[in-house]
Amino acid sequence: MILKRKDVNDGVYNKQQRSVISHIRMYYRLSILWATLVVLAACSRAFDPDIRTGAIPRLTDGQPEIQFSAIAYIDDEVIHPVIDVDLDIMYGSLIYRERGGVFSAGVIIQTDVYLVIDEENEEFERIESVRERIDVRDEDRSITRNRDTFSYNERIEVDPGKYMVVVQVTDRSSNKSTLRRENVVVFDPNGSSPNLTHIKVYTSDLNHRIHEFPLTTYSIPAKMDTIKFEYQVTRPEGSEPLAIQMRLMKFTTDTLPPRPISGVTPSTGTLQHRGINYNKSEVIESQERILDQETGTITIEYITKRPSSGNYRFEVDVGSVNSENPELYKARDFSSMSENFPNVISAYELAKPLVYLMRRGEYREMLEISDKDSLKNKIDRFWLSNMGNKDQARRVIEEYYQRVEHANKQFTNFKEGWMTDMGMVYVLFGPPWYVERTLNTMVWIYGHNRDDPNRVFRFERTRMDSDSQPFEHYILQRQSQYHTVEYEQIQRWLYGTILVRPL
C-alpha cells in the first residue's frame, strides 16, 4: 500500500535545494564544456533537443533506483502549457524496516522547476517546488527484493519559456538520494504559428490491455504488448492546412555478444565499433494525417504493436500541405528488449549470457532448443556438470545472473548491458577495484598493482555518427595476453571456485 502526502514549498531555499542549484550550475558548466569539445573535435552535431531517448537504467548501490521524464504539454481543459513529470521508483531499491510483520519504507520526492534566465551566466529562478512523501508498506518480505516499480506523476502549470526540471528522491531510511534533471522548452499554445510538442510514449502489457502507463525509459521489455505514441499539434485559426507525416523507423544495430577479451578489437567503422548506425535505417510503418478543419490544440495518437528486438525511432514531421519541407520535427527513440529486461527470468534470458562460459558450438546448439522446458533442463545440466554440490551450484548461479542484471542496469545502451564490452568484463570479473577516467578512456583495475597487464582493462569511447548521441559506447582494447586470465576465470565459474577466489 502506498500513502502520499504532498507539500508545496514557498520561495525559501533550504539546504537540500541549495545543493540542487549547485548541481544545476555544474551541469550547465559541463554542458558548455562538452559543446566546446564537440566543436573542436569537428564531430557530428551534439544533442538534438527535438529527439528524446527516454531514461537509460543507471544503478547506484544503496540509492533509490529511479527513471524520470519531463515533457512540455498543453492542458486540454485550460489550454495552458504544463510540464508533465513522470517518475518510476523500484520497490526493491529502498531500505525496509520490519515491525510487527510489516515491512515499511519511504521516500521524499522533491520536484523543483527552474526558469532558465541566462544559461551562460548560470542564472535561474525557481518558479515551483513540490515535496511529496510516499510510504510503502507490505506484509510480504519479497517487497524488499521486488523489481517492479511504482509511479509518481505531477503536472505543473508554467508559462512559455525554457526550464530545468530537477527531481531528487531521498530514501528516508538511509537518507541517500538520487537526482535527475531534464531541460524542457515550453511554447505558447496561443501563438500565431503552428507548433508541436514532444512525443509521449504509453505502453500496456498482455495482462492489462486496458491500463496504460507512461514510459520513462529508452528500453521497452518484450512483455509490453502495444505502444502508443501521443503528441499535440497547435494550429491557429485561419492558418493553412497542415500535413503530418508519422514514421516508425528501425536502425541497423550491432546485436551480437562481444568478442572474447583475448580476441581482436573491432576496427573503426565496423558496426561492432559504431554500435548503432543512425545513417542506415528502414521505415517499417508510416502514416499521414491532414489537419484541414481542426484548429487550436489537437492531440494525436499513434498505436502500434511492440516491434521485434532492435532500436527504433518514431518521428513526426509537420508542415504546410503546400510546402515540400516540414517546418516542425519531433522524434522519440526507443529499443525493444527481452521480455523481463533488465531482469533475467525466462529460460531464453538465462541461456543467452552463458556465451561467456560455453564453448561456441555447445552455445549455438543450446540456443536452437525451442521448447522452454528442454532449454531450462539444458541450462541446469550445464551448471551442474562440473559442480556436484547443488547448493554450491545454486550460489554460483545466483551470483552469475545477479551480475548480468547489474550489468543491464549499469551498461545498457543500444543493447542490453550484459552484451556490451563493459558488461562482459563485469559479468566475468565483477566490479573493478579502481576506475581511472579521462575524456574518452576508462580503465578498470582489478588489484593493487596498476602495472599488472592481466588485471587492467582499458576501454575507449567511440564517436557515434548520431544527431542525439544518447549512449556511452565503450570498446574494450583487447589483448592476446588476456587469454590465460580469461580461461582461468571461466574455470572458476564452471567449478564454483569463483565463490572463494573471485580473481
Side-chain angles (χ1 to χ4, degrees):
M1 181 173 62
I2 302 173
L3 306 177
K4 298 183 179 181
R5 188 180 72 203
K6 183 185 299 182
D7 303 307
V8 180
N9 296 340
D10 56 20
V12 179
Y13 288 88
N14 57 32
K15 181 178 179 181
Q16 185 182 52
Q17 290 163 341
R18 287 195 297 271
S19 174
V20 169
I21 294 173
S22 176
H23 278 87
I24 291 175
R25 287 174 175 156
M26 179 62 71
Y27 172 81
Y28 269 99
R29 289 169 190 160
L30 291 174
S31 297
I32 293 171
L33 172 61
W34 174 247
T36 303
L37 290 170
V38 167
V39 172
L40 292 175
C43 64
S44 62
R45 280 195 297 156
F47 176 75
D48 188 335
D50 290 332
I51 302 174
R52 290 292 182 94
T53 62
I56 297 173
R58 289 292 178 264
L59 172 66
T60 303
D61 286 338
Q63 295 180 199
E65 185 174 339
I66 69 175
Q67 305 295 340
F68 163 61
S69 170
I71 292 181
Y73 226 56
I74 309 299
D75 189 297
D76 293 330
E77 294 183 2
V78 297
I79 315 300
H80 195 281
V82 295
I83 296 177
D84 283 343
V85 177
D86 295 306
L87 185 68
D88 295 322
I89 305 172
M90 181 185 286
Y91 286 107
S93 67
L94 306 181
I95 304 300
Y96 290 82
R97 295 176 179 175
E98 181 182 8
R99 180 177 295 178
V102 176
F103 296 87
S104 301
V107 295
I108 295 174
I109 301 174
Q110 179 76 38
T111 305
D112 292 299
V113 180
Y114 296 88
L115 176 64
V116 181
I117 299 173
D118 187 334
E119 276 187 64
E120 293 187 2
N121 294 317
E122 301 170 8
E123 293 184 18
F124 313 95
E125 178 186 355
R126 182 166 63 95
I127 56 97
E128 186 77 22
S129 183
V130 179
R131 183 181 176 88
E132 183 152 351
R133 176 190 177 106
I134 297 182
D135 297 323
V136 181
R137 297 188 182 96
D138 202 299
E139 296 180 358
D140 190 340
R141 180 184 294 273
S142 65
I143 190 70
T144 63
R145 305 183 302 276
N146 195 321
R147 301 179 177 108
D148 292 335
T149 61
F150 60 92
S151 299
Y152 164 79
N153 311 101
E154 188 71 40
R155 171 162 281 193
I156 301 173
E157 189 171 307
V158 294
D159 292 325
K162 184 172 184 178
Y163 296 88
M164 168 73 83
V165 180
V166 183
V167 169
Q168 184 165 299
V169 179
T170 303
D171 188 316
R172 298 206 311 272
S173 296
S174 66
N175 206 35
K176 292 186 177 181
S177 299
T178 302
L179 184 144
R180 296 287 185 269
R181 2 167 159 68
E182 193 155 325
N183 291 324
V184 180
V185 177
V186 180
F187 64 79
D188 184 356
N190 299 311
S192 59
S193 301
N195 233 313
L196 172 65
T197 68
H198 272 290
I199 301 166
K200 291 184 177 183
V201 185
Y202 294 88
T203 59
S204 61
D205 59 39
L206 293 168
N207 299 319
H208 303 89
R209 291 181 182 276
I210 298 176
H211 176 66
E212 294 180 338
F213 47 93
L215 183 74
T216 59
T217 58
Y218 175 80
S219 305
I220 301 178
K223 64 182 179 182
M224 303 305 177
D225 184 34
T226 60
I227 307 174
K228 182 178 79 173
F229 302 97
E230 181 183 288
Y231 58 94
Q232 293 173 320
V233 177
T234 61
R235 178 174 174 247
E237 291 187 9
S239 61
E240 294 184 4
L242 294 177
I244 302 175
Q245 300 286 341
M246 294 168 274
R247 290 177 294 274
L248 182 60
M249 306 161 55
K250 183 175 183 179
F251 295 111
T252 300
T253 309
D254 171 29
T255 59
L256 299 175
R259 302 173 183 178
I261 64 173
S262 57
V264 178
T265 303
S267 58
T268 303
T270 62
L271 187 58
Q272 290 80 8
H273 187 272
R274 299 177 68 177
I276 180 170
N277 187 352
Y278 285 98
N279 293 327
K280 189 174 182 180
S281 63
E282 61 173 319
V283 176
I284 60 175
E285 290 181 11
S286 64
Q287 192 177 109
E288 182 182 53
R289 178 169 174 178
I290 303 297
L291 298 183
D292 189 5
Q293 303 296 326
E294 305 99 318
T295 59
T297 300
I298 302 102
T299 300
I300 299 176
E301 298 178 353
Y302 184 103
I303 301 175
T304 185
K305 290 184 177 181
R306 181 198 58 81
S308 60
S309 178
N311 290 263
Y312 297 85
R313 173 174 294 167
F314 176 75
E315 60 181 19
V316 177
D317 287 322
V318 178
S320 170
V321 293
N322 299 317
S323 174
E324 295 183 358
N325 299 317
E327 303 165 10
L328 304 169
Y329 175 83
K330 291 291 188 292
R332 175 58 153 86
D333 288 4
F334 67 97
S335 66
S336 184
M337 295 294 191
S338 59
E339 179 181 1
N340 299 290
F341 178 86
N343 306 313
V344 180
I345 298 175
S346 71
Y348 187 67
E349 291 167 346
L350 294 169
K352 288 191 68 178
L354 295 180
V355 66
Y356 300 140
L357 304 180
M358 277 186 166
R359 295 188 300 273
R360 296 294 176 176
E362 182 183 13
Y363 180 74
R364 286 193 296 269
E365 290 177 2
M366 179 185 65
L367 292 188
E368 291 175 356
I369 300 175
S370 58
D371 180 71
K372 63 180 181 180
D373 292 331
S374 300
L375 180 58
K376 184 62 170 61
N377 289 335
K378 172 65 177 178
I379 296 169
D380 292 340
R381 290 197 303 271
F382 168 77
W383 282 111
L384 290 171
S385 61
N386 296 305
M387 289 179 282
N389 187 318
K390 289 187 177 181
D391 181 65
Q392 180 192 38
R394 178 186 57 79
R395 289 186 291 133
V396 171
I397 292 170
E398 287 180 355
E399 174 66 22
Y400 190 79
Y401 290 113
Q402 184 179 70
R403 290 191 186 182
V404 171
E405 292 185 355
H406 279 213
N408 280 343
K409 295 173 182 178
Q410 295 185 77
F411 310 117
T412 291
N413 44 37
F414 51 87
K415 61 182 178 180
E416 298 181 17
W418 72 265
M419 295 180 68
T420 65
D421 280 6
M422 282 187 168
M424 172 180 60
V425 176
Y426 184 93
V427 170
L428 285 175
F429 297 93
W433 292 26
Y434 306 101
V435 177
E436 296 179 357
R437 305 171 187 260
T438 60
L439 180 61
N440 288 313
T441 301
M442 194 177 301
V443 179
W444 287 8
I445 305 168
Y446 291 86
H448 298 295
N449 184 1
R450 172 67 174 78
D451 297 322
D452 184 350
N454 293 327
R455 292 175 179 262
V456 176
F457 298 94
R458 181 187 181 91
F459 301 88
E460 295 286 345
R461 181 163 59 181
T462 66
R463 301 270 186 197
M464 293 201 301
D465 196 4
S466 158
D467 281 339
S468 56
Q469 297 183 353
F471 308 118
E472 287 189 336
H473 179 38
Y474 283 87
I475 295 293
L476 173 67
Q477 303 306 293
R478 291 159 170 79
Q479 305 287 341
S480 59
Q481 66 196 30
Y482 288 146
H483 177 78
T484 300
V485 69
E486 183 179 35
Y487 174 81
E488 292 175 349
Q489 192 68 1
I490 292 172
Q491 297 307 301
R492 291 186 181 99
W493 281 109
L494 296 179
Y495 290 95
T497 57
I498 192 74
L499 297 174
V500 293
R501 293 183 59 216
L503 182 61

